[in-house]
């Protein structure tokens, strides 16, 4: 496994790997957990070679967010990736990714604007900008992202379609199902911020979402199901709920009632020092 920190060696290594087969990219911010390793395993099944990027991207953190506190553990991450048979780790410093004078911004309107986009202005511009750069740097045939960040996946797919990207094509941007702890909590590097008590309470988020989804699928009023979910989270130890919304799975347009198209229930809520997000599929209504 090669670990490179600047663009010239990256390009050489990418060219060398591409001579002998296809290349998959798993973009990450490090602090790897089983969710990331599942993406790596899926990448290995889809391409001859696997590259993983590790870059805590300052552009996607707002003022007062956890950029400085975000866990950084490159040595441990590289050991995990070597054990998974990864070929290449791209771990640039901030100066290599954003040299002096960098001034381009990619903004994907519509799908970026609601949900986390409304709570975290500029966040998805930062994501779209760095992912577009990563795609151009690594030129992957396929790229894999966790479905836990459903809105991020929708933004990246929209960007790839709108900009006619070819490496990868929008259709080769693969969403991989959320990996969960035994009690249902979605795996996230930010779960590390939780105290043991908060960690136990945090599992009420996926549980409450499942209850709300069953109610919605049984025909209960969407607003009532969401209101009771939100009240349950606060009663169960969450400090506040940023949003809970039923949305069209692709456009993320909010829905007041079940539709016949694929839908997701998406939620973000705060507990202790963590802001947790989750999303789950809701079965479409029969036409
Ligand atoms: O999901 C993440 O870890 C990040 O948002 C990503 C896609 C690596 C971009 O920085």
């Amino acid at each position: 496994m090669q670990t490179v920190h600047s663009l010239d060696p990256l390009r050489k290594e990418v060219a060398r790997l591409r001579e002998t087969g296809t290349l998959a990219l798993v973009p990450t911010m490090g602090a790897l957990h089983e969710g990331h390793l599942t993406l790596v395993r899926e990448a290995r099944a889809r391409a001859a070679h696997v590259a993983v990027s590790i870059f805590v991207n300052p552009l996607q953190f707002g003022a007062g967010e956890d950029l400085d506190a975000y866990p950084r553990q490159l040595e441990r991450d590289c050991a995990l990736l070597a054990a998974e048979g990864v070929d290449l780790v791209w771990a640039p410093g901030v100066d290599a990714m954003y040299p002096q004078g960098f001034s381009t911004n990619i903004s994907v309107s519509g799908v970026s604007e609601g949900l986390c986009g409304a709570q975290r202005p500029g966040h998805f511009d930062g994501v779209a900008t760095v992912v577009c750069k990563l795609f151009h740097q690594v030129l992957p045939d396929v790229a894999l992202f966790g479905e836990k960040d459903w809105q991020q996946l929708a933004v990246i797919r929209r960007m790839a379609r709108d900009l006619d990207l070819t490496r990868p094509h929008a259709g080769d941007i693969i969403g991989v199902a959320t990996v969960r702890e035994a009690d249902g909590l979605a795996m996230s590097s930010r779960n590390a911020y939780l105290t043991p008590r908060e960690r136990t309470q945090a599992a009420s988020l996926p549980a409450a979402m499942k209850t709300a989804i069953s109610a919605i699928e049984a025909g209960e009023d969407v607003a009532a199901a969401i209101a009771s979910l939100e009240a349950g989270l606060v009663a169960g130890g969450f400090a506040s709920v940023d949003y809970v919304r039923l949305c069209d799975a692709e456009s993320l347009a909010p829905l007041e009632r079940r539709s016949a198209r694929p839908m997701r229930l998406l939620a973000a809520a705060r507990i202790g020092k963590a802001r947790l997000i989750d999303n789950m599929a809701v079965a479409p209504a029969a036409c």
Side-chain angles (χ1 to χ4, degrees):
M1 186 179 86
Q2 293 286 322
T3 301
V4 296
H5 303 284
S6 56
L7 222 39
D8 280 349
L10 174 76
R11 291 207 165 112
K12 285 196 186 98
E13 195 52 25
V14 163
R16 196 184 68 79
L17 290 172
R18 293 195 61 85
E19 274 171 18
T20 54
T22 52
L23 181 60
L25 172 66
V26 179
T28 81
M29 296 206 299
L32 303 180
H33 51 65
E34 196 54 32
H36 297 108
L37 301 183
T38 301
L39 296 179
V40 168
R41 289 172 202 138
E42 183 64 33
R44 278 181 58 110
R46 287 173 178 268
H49 304 294
V50 176
V52 175
S53 62
I54 298 180
F55 178 63
V56 182
N57 173 33
L59 286 193
Q60 68 189 76
F61 288 77
E65 290 189 351
D66 56 346
L67 174 61
D68 293 337
Y70 200 86
R72 287 160 173 89
Q73 40 198 47
L74 185 60
E75 221 172 290
R76 175 190 167 275
D77 289 345
C78 286
L80 288 171
L81 295 175
E84 293 292 336
V86 164
D87 299 275
L88 172 62
V89 175
W90 168 220
V94 175
D95 291 347
M97 186 61 85
Y98 301 122
Q100 189 67 31
F102 182 86
S103 46
T104 296
N105 181 55
I106 296 184
S107 188
V108 182
S109 59
V111 78
S112 283
E113 285 164 16
L115 306 167
C116 287
Q119 307 280 329
R120 304 180 69 190
H123 168 69
F124 288 116
D125 289 14
V127 170
T129 302
V130 80
V131 170
C132 192
K133 284 189 62 113
L134 290 168
F135 285 172
H136 282 95
Q137 292 162 345
V138 178
L139 298 172
D141 299 283
V142 56
L144 297 95
F145 296 85
E147 285 187 353
K148 180 183 152 268
D149 296 295
W150 188 269
Q151 188 174 14
Q152 167 171 285
L153 185 57
V155 168
I156 292 167
R157 284 187 168 135
R158 184 75 258 164
M159 171 190 73
R161 273 198 295 270
D162 290 354
L163 298 182
D164 303 318
L165 298 190
T166 51
R167 289 233 176 105
H169 279 284
D172 293 318
I173 294 173
I174 309 298
V176 176
T178 303
V179 179
R180 295 181 181 279
E181 305 283 358
D183 62 3
L185 183 66
M187 285 193 187
S188 163
S189 307
R190 289 187 167 106
N191 292 351
Y193 299 157
L194 299 170
T195 64
R197 181 176 150 81
E198 289 160 359
R199 169 63 193 79
T200 305
Q201 292 169 323
S204 68
L205 175 60
M209 289 177 71
K210 277 192 189 157
T211 305
I213 289 170
S214 301
I216 292 167
E217 289 177 347
E220 193 181 309
D221 178 64
V222 170
I226 288 177
S228 111
L229 192 173
E230 291 181 348
L233 290 181
V234 173
F238 277 81
S240 61
V241 178
D242 281 359
Y243 63 78
V244 179
R245 216 145 294 151
L246 180 68
C247 293
D248 180 90
E250 191 185 331
S251 70
L252 298 187
L255 300 168
E256 284 171 11
R257 59 185 67 82
R258 251 173 113 198
S259 89
R261 285 175 41 81
M263 290 166 287
R264 291 314 273 193
L265 187 70
L266 299 105
R270 293 175 194 263
I271 180 164
K273 290 194 183 116
R275 177 180 182 276
L276 302 183
I277 59 171
D278 204 343
N279 71 88
M280 293 179 189
V282 178
C287 298

